[in-house]
């Protein structure tokens, strides 16, 4: 019997694939509305994997995840669109800045080609190809899409239940005095849990369940805030528009994205949150607009209004930042740590890996 802790996109894929493989599976979820965590608060983008080093787990799982996800969406009628993505050098502050960006975009193009991402194109004068996109050079990545995340999660939970997964909500899993317990958050009753395997898919909180096991590995997750502003109209074409990724962090920079229901957003930026439930938007609209206006001249500041916030589970090991996903097996626990972007894209592949580890 396997207990999966957490019913975000990662825990849900793991539970579904384990049940399909014949395991008895229970999911413990502390929230009433599963999907309130990181999985319900992201850009919904299916990434090509262009940003990552080929030896990284992010690269490996992003590629495989994309390949598994597309036929899964088609089979289960989950709305998605392979809309492609433009990464532009955007407006530069100085000539040095411009030169630097030119080098960066060429490096990204070379990395994408090395990784075998199909049909990449480097284009000068992007505004000619995509009206209102600013900058001297852009990288066109046709193999990128968006998915309707609420439907994706709902379908996964339903398929999981049909395969035999039992989902228990309002149950917080805790570890104390060498035991594992489920605390019912409505009745306050605590019961001890036993299982052949426990899978820790707790997103922002996975460091808390890991810390009992990994004596010499002091993992800590710090929440990094990504704020989204809503845009009152979509660009006149369905394509994602990104700046070059930040050099100082794993964030991809404030970009233009849209949801399949018709909403458009700018986001997410990157700032440290005060806590793991700090979902307040604190950046003022005019400051936020400064980032967006570097990649497109389609919007005026008045077109932006406060949207939503997602928290990235930034992982640190003994105080040092870890840039890759971590999947750590220790006794009968499998811990998933630092599953930030491209975790949504990678989720089916991460689940396949966990099934291999359990089997
Ligand atoms: C701003 C932002 C934008 C992103 N954009 C993209 C994107 O465009 N494309 C992409 O591929 N990826 C993206 N990602 C990454 C992706 O969203 C995450 O990798 C993925 O959603 C992580 O899912 P999860 O299941 O690990 O976490 P969660 O969805 O947070 O699920 C964890 C669950 O565990 C539960 N839980 C926690 N502790 C306990 C406990 N002790 N007991 C019981 N339950 C517990 C929580 O309530 C929660 O439901 C983005 C992330 C962020 C923050």
């Amino acid at each position: 019997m396997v207990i999966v802790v957490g019913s975000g996109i990662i825990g849900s894929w793991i539970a579904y694939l384990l049940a399909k493989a014949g395991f008895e599976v229970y999911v413990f979820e502390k929230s009433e509305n599963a999907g309130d965590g990181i999985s319900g608060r992201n850009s919904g983008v299916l990434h090509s994997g262009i940003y990552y080093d080929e030896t990284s787990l992010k690269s490996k799982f992003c590629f495989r995840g994309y390949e598994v996800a597309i036929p899964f969406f088609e089979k289960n009628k989950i709305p998605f669109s392979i809309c492609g993505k433009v990464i532009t050098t955007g407006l530069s502050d100085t000539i040095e800045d411009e030169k630097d960006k030119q080098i960066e975009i060429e490096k990204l193009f070379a990395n994408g080609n090395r990784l075998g991402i199909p049909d990449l194109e480097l284009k000068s004068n992007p505004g000619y190809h995509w009206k209102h996109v600013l900058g001297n050079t852009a990288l066109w990545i046709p193999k990128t899409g968006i998915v309707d995340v609420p439907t994706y999660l709902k379908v996964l939970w339903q398929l999981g239940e049909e395969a035999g997964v039992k989902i228990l909500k309002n149950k917080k899993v805790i570890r104390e005095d060498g035991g594992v317990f489920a605390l019912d958050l409505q009745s306050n009753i605590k019961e001890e849990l036993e299982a052949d395997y426990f899978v820790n898919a707790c997103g922002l909180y996975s460091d808390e369940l890991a810390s009992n096991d990994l004596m010499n590995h002091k993992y800590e997750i710090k929440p990094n805030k990504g704020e989204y502003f809503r845009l009152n109209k979509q660009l006149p074409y369905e394509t994602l528009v990104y700046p070059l990724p930040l050099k100082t962090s794993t964030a991809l920079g404030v970009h233009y994205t849209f949801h399949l229901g018709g909403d458009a957003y700018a986001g997410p930026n990157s700032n440290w949150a005060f806590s793991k439930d700090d979902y307040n938007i604190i950046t003022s609209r005019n400051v936020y607009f400064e980032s967006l206006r570097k990649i497109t001249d389609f919007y005026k500041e008045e077109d932006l209004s406060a949207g939503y916030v997602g928290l990235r589970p930034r992982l640190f090991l003994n105080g040092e930042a870890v840039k890759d996903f971590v999947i750590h097996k220790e006794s009968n626990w499998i811990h998933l740590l630092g599953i930030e972007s491209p975790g949504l894209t990678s989720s089916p592949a991460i689940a396949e890996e966990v099934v291999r580890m359990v089997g």
Side-chain angles (χ1 to χ4, degrees), residues 182-206:
L183 175 67
D184 187 303
L185 296 175
Q186 286 174 332
S187 66
N188 234 9
I189 292 171
K190 203 160 78 174
E191 57 166 330
E192 186 154 15
L193 301 177
E194 280 184 16
D196 299 314
Y197 270 105
F198 290 94
V199 179
N200 169 7
C202 290
L204 288 161
Y205 299 87
S206 53

Side-chain angles (χ1 to χ4, degrees), residues 5-11 28-31 37-39 41-45 47 171-173 201-203 205 209 226 228 268 310-312 339-345:
V5 193
S7 67
I9 194 80
I10 302 291
F28 283 74
E29 167 56 58
K30 70 174 181 177
S31 171
I38 314 168
S39 303
R41 300 163 167 276
N42 52 48
S43 300
V45 174
H47 286 293
K171 304 263 190 198
K172 181 178 176 177
V173 173
C202 290
Y205 299 87
L209 288 185
Y228 289 82
L311 298 175
R312 302 178 183 90
I339 313 295
E340 53 172 343
S341 188
L344 180 74
T345 316

Side-chain angles (χ1 to χ4, degrees), residues 16-28:
Y16 169 51
L17 292 193
L18 282 170
K20 270 204 350 176
F23 289 91
E24 185 185 357
V25 185
Y26 291 84
V27 174
F28 283 74

